[in-house]
Amino acid sequence: MPLPERVERGLVVGKFCPLHRGHERLIDFAASRCRALLVISWSQPGFAGYSAARRERWLRARFPQATIAVLDDARLAALCEQHGLPPRVLPRDDDSEQAQRDFTAWLCLHLFGGPVQAVFTGEDYGDGFAAALAGHFNAPVQHQRLERTCDVGQASGTQLRADPHTHRQSLSAEVYAAYVQRVAFIGGESTGKTTLARVLA
């Protein structure tokens, strides 16, 4: 089956707490189907240990070709000031779907370069999301869905936050490295411990 024609701009939205391989498959899927990809992330009130800066580092390391926007209230306020806009705050995670969609459309239109032509998700909600954006943009927005059959065995965000080490196969090496605080080398004399330590450092 031929791939659909690439759209000009695509959008992926998520919390990425943490960024896992399921998310990465979705972002790769989106990147292959649009000429420019915008990835937006926020979580309010968020999760301890998953700051905007930490999530942004992961996304930029894994997807340097995409436009990455990871927001908290301080970052959003700075962007509003930079664009000469009144200050806003992020929607809360338990706000309505409509509030989240309206806010995403506002971000695209006022802070991140205008409308997108497609949204990419792995969920049924994407149809309604695309329709809501199309209403704000007064232009069609496709929903392109990635079927999640390839995500069998993928740990959930909740599982990964509870125990990233047990579920480390669900994380890329760059993301998992952020959880490794101490490494010990054990071995006899002249077995390469110093060389290994220097390389890993």
Side-chain angles (χ1 to χ4, degrees), residues 47-154:
F47 300 94
Y50 292 90
S51 67
R54 188 183 200 194
R55 289 177 287 134
E56 181 179 31
R57 284 194 298 273
W58 288 334
L59 285 162
R60 290 193 185 281
R62 299 298 291 157
F63 303 102
Q65 77 282 10
T67 298
I68 305 297
V70 185
L71 301 174
D72 56 24
D73 279 334
R75 288 173 171 224
L76 178 60
L79 283 169
C80 288
E81 183 177 3
Q82 178 183 330
H83 287 79
L85 298 169
R88 292 192 63 158
V89 295
L90 296 170
R92 294 182 60 83
D93 294 342
D94 57 0
D95 283 350
S96 69
E97 280 190 348
Q98 191 60 47
Q100 309 282 349
R101 294 166 176 176
D102 292 346
F103 181 70
T104 303
W106 181 88
L107 289 174
C108 291
L109 289 171
H110 295 280
L111 298 182
F112 300 129
V116 298
Q117 289 73 51
V119 293
F120 298 88
T121 79
E123 308 285 351
D124 291 336
Y125 75 80
D127 290 338
F129 185 23
L133 293 179
H136 282 280
F137 299 157
N138 197 29
V141 177
Q142 304 172 19
H143 172 216
Q144 295 193 29
R145 177 172 176 170
L146 174 65
E147 295 302 326
R148 300 179 66 176
T149 54
C150 58
D151 283 339
V152 175
Q154 169 66 55

